[in-house]
Amino acid sequence: MNNQQEAPDDVGTSYQDAPTRTIAAGGVSFAYRELGPATGVPVIFLTHLAAVLDNWDPRVVDGIAAQHRVITFDNRGVGASAGSTPDTIAAMATDAVTFIRALGLDQVDLLGFSMGGMIAQVIAQDQPQLVRKLILAGTGPAGGEGIDKVTRISNLDTIRGLLTFTDPKQFLFFTRTPTGRRAGKEFLARLKERTHNRDEAISLRSYAAQLKAIHRWGLEQPSDLSVIRQPVLVANGESDKMVPTKNSADLARRLPDSELVIYPDAGHGGIFQYHAQFVQTALQFLGQ
């Protein structure tokens, strides 16, 4: 195995056009997409609650793929991936490692957003030799303040979305200021740019399993983050209602080699609202 394994030729030049592939690993068929340079340390994207392949902001994917091989995938039982969705973050981390190993990779960078950032922390602790660098966005540590409230907040804003014919992410990811509302609409429009070969929505059963996993994570005893020796970029909006922003500051304080970026007038989806600035910061961090 080596991290210089070449990517297939037909990876596409943008996330909008990247083909969806599958790979069998651990008895599960994982759906994934990749793009970017064929060589170098790949960046594995670990996604958020209820997300499928089409929920990644194409500006973030394309921006990082301009200089790095980027691989996104559906968690087990989610979207086009087969199997039953686990209800613990630890099991999701095991699945992610199984997927990464199946691609023949022995070193990767991880970009984990929200739930994906929780998964990334576990991978870095359990498989330190696999991870070169970490980007943790809109996320928090095990036992972090307010994380166990995600179920209530998500359900309330999902109902709010249904009643107002609005995507719940407008409420969950962005502030209700004029800037936040505009950023939310622009983000949701970008998610619709891909018009062909779109992924399947998450099932209610898988969504419930993920909510349970995040709730459990919020109730866990804090882990010793000092064992994560890799460089870490921590990013969030200043007004994250899903994973309160103080958790990002807590992560940065407890990780030995970290830098913290907080975006003003932004919520949980701060890296999407400030996608241009975030991509620039991420590329600089990954290239160091």
Side-chain angles (χ1 to χ4, degrees), residues 22-169:
T22 58
I23 189 168
V28 174
S29 175
F30 287 96
Y32 71 102
R33 295 177 189 156
E34 61 180 308
L35 67 160
T39 58
V41 178
V43 185
I44 307 295
F45 280 39
L46 300 164
T47 199
H48 63 85
L49 168 71
V52 297
L53 293 170
D54 296 325
N55 286 113
W56 280 113
D57 189 330
R59 298 299 179 275
V60 171
V61 178
D62 291 350
I64 293 177
Q67 296 182 24
H68 299 268
R69 181 180 173 192
V70 169
I71 301 170
T72 65
F73 74 104
D74 278 333
N75 294 312
R76 175 157 54 105
V78 177
S81 288
S84 178
T85 301
D87 59 7
T88 67
I89 297 297
M92 294 179 194
T94 298
D95 286 341
V97 171
T98 298
F99 166 75
I100 291 166
R101 296 291 190 193
L103 291 175
L105 304 170
D106 64 5
Q107 189 178 52
V108 297
D109 294 328
L110 298 176
L111 190 163
F113 173 61
S114 193
M115 183 181 75
M118 301 167 192
I119 295 168
Q121 291 172 61
V122 174
I123 295 172
Q125 291 174 71
D126 292 351
Q127 303 278 339
Q129 75 290 345
L130 180 62
V131 182
R132 187 184 71 113
K133 293 186 176 185
L134 287 157
I135 299 176
L136 303 176
T139 194
E145 185 176 333
I147 295 176
D148 62 335
K149 308 289 193 301
V150 165
T151 299
R152 182 177 62 82
I153 292 168
S154 298
N155 288 342
L156 284 173
D157 276 343
T158 297
I159 294 168
R160 187 179 180 187
L162 289 170
L163 293 174
T164 58
F165 304 100
T166 305
D167 190 308
K169 287 188 284 295

Side-chain angles (χ1 to χ4, degrees), residues 174-243:
F174 300 91
T175 61
R176 302 306 293 155
T177 67
T179 299
R181 289 170 190 256
R182 183 173 63 251
K185 290 176 182 176
E186 291 171 353
F187 167 71
L188 293 170
R190 293 195 298 272
L191 295 188
K192 296 176 181 175
E193 288 175 355
R194 184 184 180 99
T195 57
H196 65 285
N197 189 24
R198 289 183 64 86
D199 203 357
E200 303 168 28
I202 191 171
S203 69
L204 286 175
R205 177 176 291 184
S206 291
Y207 175 66
Q210 289 186 346
L211 279 175
K212 188 172 185 179
I214 294 170
H215 185 76
R216 285 176 164 174
W217 179 262
L219 295 176
E220 278 186 27
Q221 289 298 310
S223 58
D224 180 11
L225 296 179
S226 70
V227 302
I228 298 179
R229 311 302 299 183
Q230 295 93 334
V232 186
L233 172 63
V234 182
N236 206 347
E238 67 178 1
S239 302
D240 188 341
K241 65 187 287 187
M242 293 196 77
V243 183

